[in-house]
Amino acid sequence: FNSLNHDMTLPEFKFIWYMEYSHRMWGRAVGLAYILPAAYFWRRGWLSRPLKGCVLALCGLVCFQGLLGWYMVKSGLEEKPDSYDIPRVSQYRLAAHLGSALLLYSASLWTGLSLLLPQHKLPETKQLLRLRQYAHGTTALIFLTALSGAFVAGLDAGLVYNSFPKMGERWIPDDLLAFSPVLRNIFENPTTVQFDHRILGIASVTAITALYLFSRKIPLPRRTRMAVTSLLTVAYVQ
C-alpha cells in the first residue's frame, strides 16, 4: 500500500489476505494429514523398519516446507530503504519453496505407489538400463525447468516479453547479459530468466518426446507404457 497500491480498498486487501490465510491453513492441514496417521501407524506397529525411516523423512520434509514458506514470505515484508522496486518475495526463496514442495510431492507419490503396486521384475538388458538412465536425466531436466519458472514468477519476468518463439523482434535479446558479473544474469536479470525458462521448457518437451520414442522400441509392462504416454501427454498440454 505504501509503495505501490495507494488506492487499494479494504475488500481488495481482504481478498489477498484470505488467499494467503487459506494457503497457510491448507499447508497445516497437509502437515496434520502426514503426522497424525504416521504417529498412529507407528504406535500400532504397522510400519517396517525401512518404512519408519521413510515416514520420518517425509514428516521432516513437511515441517521444513512450512518453515521455508515462512522464510520466503518474510523476504517480501522486509523494508528496503534503498530500493524503489515493487515489493516482492525473494526469487531464490520462492524457488527453494517450490523445489521443496516438488520433492515432497514426488517422494510421497513414489512411497505410496511402492506400497500399493508390486514392483515389476524385468531382465536387466542394456536397453532397459539406458532407458532408466535417460528417464532419470529427463526428471532432473523437468525439475530444473520448474525451478526456473519460480525465478520467472519471482522477478515478474513473464511481463518482459510476451511473443513466441522470438523475444520481441529478436531470437536472442540485446539485454541478455546486461548485469555484471555475468553469472548474476541467470538469477536476477528478468530477460535472461525468461530466456532460460523458454530454452529449458523446449528442452524438456524434446527430452520427453525422445524418451517416449525410445520406450516404444523396448518391451515394457502395460503400467510402464501408460506412465510414459501420460508423461508425453501432460508435457504437451503444459
Side-chain angles (χ1 to χ4, degrees):
F1 182 85
N2 291 331
S3 304
L4 182 68
N5 299 310
H6 306 295
D7 57 345
M8 178 180 279
T9 62
L10 187 59
E12 287 173 334
F13 173 75
K14 283 183 177 180
F15 176 74
I16 296 173
W17 190 90
Y18 277 116
M19 281 181 66
E20 173 67 16
Y21 181 75
S22 300
H23 182 66
R24 291 184 183 206
M25 291 302 106
W26 186 256
R28 288 166 186 168
V30 169
L32 292 174
Y34 263 89
I35 294 167
L36 294 180
Y40 177 75
F41 296 152
W42 192 300
R43 187 173 179 81
R44 299 282 293 185
W46 294 350
L47 303 178
S48 63
R49 189 180 180 85
L51 196 55
K52 283 181 179 180
C54 190
V55 166
L56 280 176
L58 287 172
C59 288
L61 196 53
V62 168
C63 296
F64 176 72
Q65 177 69 7
L67 185 65
L68 203 52
W70 166 81
Y71 184 61
M72 177 194 72
V73 171
K74 184 175 177 287
S75 68
L77 301 174
E78 292 170 353
E79 292 289 343
K80 300 171 185 174
D82 299 330
S83 174
Y84 299 97
D85 197 8
I86 297 169
R88 56 163 64 94
V89 298
S90 162
Q91 69 271 27
Y92 296 100
R93 299 185 194 184
L94 178 61
H97 190 51
L98 175 65
S100 175
L102 288 172
L103 287 175
L104 174 60
Y105 181 79
S106 300
S108 302
L109 187 63
W110 186 276
T111 304
L113 290 176
S114 299
L115 293 170
L116 291 170
L117 302 173
Q119 188 174 359
H120 287 299
K121 298 295 181 183
L122 301 175
E124 290 290 331
T125 62
K126 276 189 177 181
Q127 278 189 318
L128 187 65
L129 185 61
R130 282 180 59 199
L131 180 68
R132 187 180 291 125
Q133 290 172 341
Y134 192 74
H136 289 161
T138 304
T139 302
L141 181 60
I142 294 168
F143 183 73
L144 187 62
T145 304
L147 286 190
S148 74
F151 281 90
V152 173
L155 290 170
D156 284 335
L159 303 177
V160 182
Y161 292 98
N162 58 7
S163 55
F164 187 85
K166 289 185 177 180
M167 297 177 74
E169 297 299 319
R170 294 177 172 273
W171 290 102
I172 301 176
D174 290 335
D175 55 341
L176 194 66
L177 299 175
F179 291 13
S180 182
V182 175
L183 189 63
R184 194 175 145 221
N185 289 278
I186 298 173
F187 305 106
E188 298 181 13
N189 185 339
T191 298
T192 313
V193 165
Q194 191 193 127
F195 180 80
D196 291 345
H197 187 59
R198 289 177 179 222
I199 298 301
L200 285 167
I202 294 167
S204 291
V205 173
T206 304
I208 291 167
T209 305
L211 178 69
Y212 173 78
L213 294 174
F214 182 45
S215 72
R216 301 291 294 176
K217 300 177 181 179
I218 306 173
L220 294 171
R222 180 172 174 272
R223 199 169 74 206
T224 310
R225 290 210 174 279
M226 283 177 61
V228 177
T229 305
S230 299
L231 176 64
L232 182 75
T233 304
V234 171
Y236 277 92
V237 170
Q238 175 73 357

